[in-house]
Amino acid sequence: MNKIWEYISTLGVKRGSDQLSQRTIVLTNQLNLRLFISMLLLFATTIVTLWFLHENIAYGTIRVLILLIVSFLNLIASHSGFTLLSKLSLIFLPAAVFLLGPTIILGYVEEESYTYYPYIVIAASIIPQLLLHPKKEKFIFWFAILYYFIFTLVVDLIMIKFGTEYFPIIERINTFYPFYKISQIAIFMFISASIYYLRMLNIRYEEELGRKNLELDIQNKELKEQKEKIEQHKDELVNREISTWQKLMSIISHEIVNSAIPITNLAGMTGQMLEDESGTVMKPEKIGEEVTKDIHHSLKIIEARTQALISFVNATKSLTQIPKPTIRKISIQEIFDRITGLYQARFKEAGVSFGSTINPPDLCVEADLELIEQVIINLIQNALEAMQDLTDPKLSLEAFKDEQGFVRITVSDNGAGISKEILEKIFLPFYSTKTKKSGIGLSLSQQIMMLHNARLEVQSEPGKGATFILVF
């Protein structure tokens, strides 16, 4: 039954049509189906009753049969694609067929018809309110309301004019017609106005809902685009992480091999010095003074390389043993004063032109004073080394709040600058362009900033100095 109901409800519904049209067609089909089933049951019950009572079919039964045929034809019209015809037929025909067909054509009127016909018309006037859109189908909508209003006014007069039988109620209707109609018109106006108000309210809510849905669709589209960008960035970060680890392993392997190969070679050579031609270890008294010196020299080299390897391992450990920051509100002026006091003599000795600015002067950050001070010291140390061959070295510290509300501390120099290739590797652990440096300073500084949920950035071009930025 559910499948039959669903099939008949969707007769004439076209894919791609707007939601309002689809909903109206479905409702029209459902009303026609209900009318068809109701009239079919009523007609069948009437026929069975008349058969048992051995009475003839009355004109009222024919009226039911006509409505049965009309509702069936409406469903056929919907199935054939004539959904508008089916809708208009349901709006205008049932009342006329049910009430006026037998009266005008055959003069058939029952006495009780004068009592309930007007109220059937009022009830039927709800149909156009359900099937017609007051804004998009304005003309047909108001024409249908006017049609039912006039119908309510004159239905009694039509029955009196065309009816072939006289009933006592007709005299009362003729005498008190205006007063007789007041209640019917009042009910008609009240029902029509109430449904119209509710319908307009519903339309307004639907339009508002449509606008909200459109906004949500736009937001969903933007969110999808942002999600795609995040996925792209995620892939980039994963690729960068893999690349970073590959570079890191390459650097570590390089450092270990650089120490291991000389140690292995020297150990092998020393072993050979202590052996005779047959490979037997010589007695101490047979080892010459020159060989002893060579062995001593080799052992010193092995010691030095071993110590360098130990230092490298200790440097590696320092990257993973950064103390947990003690976060508190600190004044940037306090940081700058400590840095200035620490480097004032060094700047004077090296002839560095130094300056600092803070905007606003009371600017503060939530951070660990000692750790952030260590980051700035690392950056200043690098800047001094980058400017050591300049005749007019310049170094500046600046702190300000950007448009997004982030606090930025910059360390700028006028040194040789940094090439693009080096910039890509500058924060890698153990990467350094200086032969006697461990290459962990910037990597350590970056990790300290990450522990503060902050970041360290760099801007530089060859020949134009460098600017390192602490972003909180």
Side-chain angles (χ1 to χ4, degrees):
M1 288 300 293
N2 289 334
K3 290 184 178 180
I4 295 173
W5 173 262
E6 184 178 351
Y7 171 75
I8 295 176
S9 297
T10 55
L11 291 175
V13 175
K14 296 179 180 178
R15 292 183 179 179
S17 58
D18 61 275
Q19 189 176 4
L20 177 63
S21 299
Q22 292 182 6
R23 190 169 55 193
T24 303
I25 293 170
V26 169
L27 183 58
T28 301
N29 293 335
Q30 290 176 350
L31 289 174
N32 276 315
L33 181 58
R34 286 188 174 95
L35 180 62
F36 175 78
I37 293 172
S38 300
M39 293 300 105
L40 181 62
L41 292 175
L42 182 59
F43 181 75
T45 303
T46 303
I47 293 297
V48 171
T49 303
L50 291 175
W51 183 75
F52 274 110
L53 297 175
H54 303 288
E55 293 182 4
N56 296 324
I57 296 176
Y59 292 133
T61 305
I62 297 174
R63 180 174 56 191
V64 172
L65 179 61
I66 294 173
L67 276 179
L68 178 66
I69 295 171
V70 168
S71 59
F72 179 74
L73 291 175
N74 287 343
L75 292 173
I76 295 298
S78 291
H79 179 70
S80 302
F82 300 102
T83 53
L84 179 60
L85 177 62
S86 176
K87 180 170 70 173
L88 294 177
S89 172
L90 181 61
I91 291 170
F92 294 106
L93 286 184
V97 169
F98 188 82
L99 301 177
L100 300 184
T103 301
I104 294 174
I105 297 172
L106 304 172
Y108 173 75
V109 179
E110 300 165 314
E111 185 175 7
E112 59 270 21
S113 300
Y114 293 97
T115 304
Y116 69 82
Y117 270 22
Y119 297 101
I120 291 179
V121 175
I122 292 171
S125 68
I126 298 174
I127 296 175
Q129 297 259 31
L130 295 175
L131 300 182
L132 296 173
H133 197 286
K135 288 186 175 181
K136 296 182 178 180
E137 299 171 299
K138 187 180 292 185
F139 174 77
I140 301 177
F141 177 83
W142 289 111
F143 180 80
I145 297 299
L146 181 62
Y147 167 80
Y148 277 99
F149 178 74
I150 295 172
F151 211 152
T152 304
L153 282 176
V154 303
V155 63
D156 309 90
L157 298 178
I158 292 173
M159 288 189 294
I160 292 171
K161 182 175 179 60
F162 291 95
T164 55
E165 291 186 52
Y166 179 82
F167 301 103
I169 194 173
I170 294 175
E171 185 176 345
R172 292 198 301 273
I173 292 173
N174 288 331
T175 304
F176 302 103
Y177 184 76
F179 302 99
Y180 179 73
K181 278 295 169 184
I182 286 176
S183 62
Q184 297 174 3
I185 297 301
I187 293 171
F188 177 86
M189 295 295 291
F190 174 76
I191 292 176
S192 297
S194 298
I195 295 176
Y196 178 77
Y197 170 75
L198 293 173
R199 188 74 193 281
M200 293 302 293
L201 198 63
N202 180 65
I203 290 171
R204 191 178 73 185
Y205 287 148
E206 284 184 346
E207 290 175 349
E208 182 67 22
L209 183 62
R211 285 193 293 269
K212 294 294 183 182
N213 285 336
L214 183 61
E215 291 176 4
L216 287 173
D217 288 340
I218 294 172
Q219 291 176 0
N220 284 334
K221 185 178 179 181
E222 292 175 352
L223 287 173
K224 287 181 180 178
E225 291 176 352
Q226 290 176 2
K227 184 180 178 182
E228 290 175 358
K229 289 180 180 179
I230 289 172
E231 291 296 329
Q232 290 176 357
H233 290 318
K234 184 179 177 180
D235 292 340
E236 290 176 4
L237 288 173
V238 170
N239 291 332
R240 286 184 182 180
E241 185 178 0
I242 292 172
S243 176
T244 300
W245 276 108
Q246 290 174 342
K247 292 175 182 176
L248 178 59
M249 294 307 297
S250 175
I251 292 170
I252 293 174
S253 300
H254 177 73
E255 289 293 330
I256 293 174
V257 168
N258 281 349
S259 295
I261 290 176
I263 291 172
T264 303
N265 291 338
L266 285 170
M269 290 174 60
T270 303
Q272 290 176 4
M273 291 178 187
L274 295 173
E275 296 172 353
D276 57 20
E277 293 180 357
S278 63
T280 306
V281 178
M282 294 187 295
K283 295 181 179 181
E285 58 270 14
K286 292 185 178 182
I287 300 173
E289 183 178 352
E290 185 178 350
V291 173
T292 303
K293 289 181 179 179
D294 290 341
I295 292 173
H296 180 266
H297 179 67
S298 297
L299 290 174
K300 283 293 184 181
I301 294 174
I302 290 173
E303 180 186 12
R305 293 310 306 163
T306 304
Q307 191 61 47
L309 193 57
I310 291 171
S311 299
F312 175 76
V313 172
N314 288 334
T316 304
K317 288 172 62 178
S318 69
L319 288 173
T320 60
Q321 294 178 350
I322 301 171
K324 185 178 180 181
T326 304
I327 305 297
R328 63 182 179 88
K329 189 175 183 179
I330 58 174
S331 167
I332 293 179
Q333 184 65 59
E334 180 184 358
I335 299 175
F336 282 13
D337 288 344
R338 290 171 60 132
I339 295 295
T340 302
L342 186 64
Y343 276 96
Q344 190 171 13
R346 176 81 178 275
F347 290 155
K348 186 175 181 180
E349 180 185 345
V352 175
S353 176
F354 174 74
S356 65
T357 58
I358 303 173
N359 185 27
D362 60 347
L363 192 60
C364 297
V365 291
E366 298 284 338
D368 185 306
L369 176 61
E370 284 72 22
L371 289 178
I372 297 304
E373 185 180 51
Q374 183 61 49
V375 171
I376 297 175
I377 288 172
N378 285 341
L379 298 177
I380 290 176
Q381 201 65 36
N382 289 343
L384 290 174
E385 291 174 2
M387 299 186 298
Q388 62 185 359
D389 295 330
L390 298 181
T391 56
D392 58 340
K394 295 178 182 179
L395 181 68
S396 66
L397 295 178
E398 184 180 1
F400 61 94
K401 186 174 285 188
D402 63 18
E403 295 177 353
Q404 287 77 35
F406 293 104
V407 175
R408 291 175 175 261
I409 301 175
T410 65
V411 181
S412 303
D413 65 66
N414 65 337
I418 307 169
S419 67
K420 185 177 179 181
E421 292 76 15
I422 294 176
L423 281 176
E424 293 177 356
K425 306 174 184 177
I426 201 167
F427 292 113
L428 281 175
F430 314 113
Y431 178 79
S432 176
T433 56
K434 305 176 183 70
T435 56
K436 295 183 179 181
K437 294 293 180 179
S438 65
I440 66 168
L442 287 176
S443 178
L444 195 63
S445 298
Q446 179 73 287
Q447 288 201 48
I448 290 172
M449 292 299 291
M450 290 173 67
L451 289 174
H452 285 78
N453 292 322
R455 64 183 186 273
L456 180 61
E457 299 177 351
V458 60
Q459 297 174 355
S460 181
E461 291 182 26
K464 295 184 179 181
T467 298
F468 285 85
I469 309 162
L470 289 73
V471 184
F472 296 89

